[in-house]
């Protein structure tokens, strides 16, 4: 498969967006300001970017010819890091709570993290479900019934309805079980299949070409900013307004960045993106520990989060991938030409 340069850009953006979302969460605990809310808007596209990329690449690489062992390999490289990091995060939370004024049982806390997907790695559960769906979609030729074009519209309505209704009804199951349900992300599956079908020139489809124009993305972003001013919006990837924003963003990205070579920095972030995604909150936690002891000024605290988060995550990823089972357990380093 030829290199798809725009995916390098999009993966880099998704990695920085997830990192930035958690960074702003930390800063928001020290400072509450409208500017922070506005800064969150581009960060909510991080998780949808990763899900979209995973479906897009497998569809572009394999088409309808799924190789033997596809699901087995996906389980191995997705679920083992999920379990390893989930156990690490649950253990550190157990230690943190019990070392303070709280009390939590080790097993109960581990169940919350691992069984109920109660940590930021819930994305891996979503991805695994769509890998299985992609296998079934191709294995049983479901494309005859679920055409990507019409089902992008239907899937978008389903996902928007899912997030809207669950918020309106106040549905709140344990952990992140609400978040990992595929109904909230189904639009990404059909968006990826549709763009693969028309790659590399989706703009030749009149409607896609029109929606890929920057004016629609600018208009949607402006509307989100306008609704943010009175505080009417929540900021996460699990909001109804994120769905049209992400679709417009991806259409613009995939048309405007096609064939534009990604620079070395973008490629380097791509190499370690999985490790950065999984590990950066661990190193944020190190900064938080020292901040409680030394009470850093906010600018220094922010700088330490960025430097420690990136350097620690990349360093761990490099070290882990030098060990025989390290990449399998702590996130495989991507091969970037």
């Amino acid at each position: 498969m030829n290199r798809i340069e725009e995916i390098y850009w999009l993966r880099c953006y998704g990695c920085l967006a997830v990192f930035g979302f958690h960074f702003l969460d930390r800063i928001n605990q020290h400072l509450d300001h409208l500017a922070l809310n506005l800064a969150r808007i581009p960060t909510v596209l991080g998780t949808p970017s990763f899900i979209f990329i995973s479906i897009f690449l497998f569809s572009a690489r394999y088409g309808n010819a799924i190789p033997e062992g596809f699901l087995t390999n996906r389980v191995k490289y997705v679920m083992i890091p999920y379990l390893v990091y989930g156990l690490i995060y649950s253990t550190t939370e157990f230690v943190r709570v019990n070392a303070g004024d709280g009390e939590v049982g080790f097993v109960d806390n581990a169940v919350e993290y691992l069984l109920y997907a109660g940590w930021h790695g819930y994305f891996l559960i979503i991805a695994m479900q769509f890998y299985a769906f992609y296998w079934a979609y191709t294995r049983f030729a479901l494309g005859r019934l679920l055409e990507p074009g019409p089902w992008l519209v239907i899937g978008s309505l389903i996902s928007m309805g899912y997030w809207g209704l669950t918020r309106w009804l106040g549905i709140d199951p344990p952990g992140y079980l609400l978040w990992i349900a595929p109904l909230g992300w189904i639009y990404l599956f059909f968006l990826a299949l549709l763009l693969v079908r028309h790659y590399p020139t989706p703009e030749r489809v009149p409607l896609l070409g029109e929606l890929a124009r920057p004016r629609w993305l600018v208009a949607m972003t402006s509307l989100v900013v306008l609704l943010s001013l009175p505080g009417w919006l929540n900021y996460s990837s699990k909001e109804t307004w994120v769905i049209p924003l992400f679709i417009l963003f991806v259409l613009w990205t995939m048309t405007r960045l096609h064939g534009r070579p990604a620079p070395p920095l973008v490629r380097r972030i791509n190499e370690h993106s999985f490790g950065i995604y999984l590990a950066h909150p661990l190193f944020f936690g190190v900064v938080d520990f020292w901040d409680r002891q030394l009470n850093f000024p906010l600018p220094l605290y922010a700088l330490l989060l960025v430097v420690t988060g990136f350097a620690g995550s990349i360093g761990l990823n490099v070290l882990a991938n030098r060990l025989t089972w390290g990449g399998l357990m702590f996130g495989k380093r991507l091969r970037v030409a």
Side-chain angles (χ1 to χ4, degrees), residues 144-323:
R144 295 174 298 180
L145 301 175
L146 305 175
E147 279 284 335
W151 271 90
L152 172 58
V153 177
I154 296 170
S156 298
L157 293 175
I158 290 173
S159 295
M160 293 174 71
Y162 177 80
W163 296 124
L165 283 174
T166 52
R167 285 201 178 276
W168 181 48
L169 298 175
I171 298 174
D172 188 23
Y176 293 162
L177 290 180
L178 182 68
W179 296 2
I180 65 174
L183 290 178
W185 311 96
I186 191 67
Y187 72 101
L188 296 169
F189 183 84
F190 292 106
L191 176 62
L193 293 188
L194 182 64
L195 292 187
V196 167
R197 173 175 291 185
H198 298 290
Y199 186 80
T201 54
E203 66 273 15
R204 291 185 179 178
V205 179
L207 180 57
L208 295 181
E210 176 61 29
L211 293 177
R213 295 179 182 273
R215 63 189 179 194
W216 294 109
L217 178 60
V218 171
M220 183 64 197
T221 304
S222 300
L223 176 61
V224 171
V225 171
L226 184 64
L227 295 176
S228 297
L229 298 180
W232 290 350
L233 297 183
N234 293 316
Y235 304 94
S236 81
S237 54
K238 284 72 64 178
E239 301 293 332
T240 55
W241 57 268
V242 172
I243 295 167
L245 180 64
F246 183 78
I247 291 173
L248 295 173
F249 167 73
V250 166
L251 288 173
W252 178 82
T253 301
M254 297 296 286
T255 54
R256 295 308 170 101
L257 296 179
H258 173 64
R260 183 173 298 182
L265 179 59
V266 170
R267 292 176 182 273
R268 180 55 60 88
I269 292 176
N270 269 255
E271 283 185 49
H272 304 289
S273 57
F274 196 26
I276 294 171
Y277 180 95
L278 291 171
H280 69 272
L282 279 177
F283 297 97
F284 283 2
V286 173
V287 176
D288 286 338
F289 173 80
W290 287 110
D291 181 52
R292 287 192 292 271
Q293 314 305 315
L294 302 174
N295 194 23
F296 297 129
L298 185 57
L300 178 59
Y301 173 71
L303 178 62
L304 288 172
L305 285 177
V306 173
V307 173
T308 306
F310 272 113
S313 300
I314 293 174
L316 176 61
N317 192 244
V318 170
L319 178 61
N321 278 267
R322 290 178 178 174
L323 305 175

Side-chain angles (χ1 to χ4, degrees), residues 90 94 104-114:
S90 67
F94 167 78
V104 63
F106 181 84
V107 173
D108 290 340
N109 194 54
V111 167
E112 176 80 10
Y113 274 71
L114 298 176

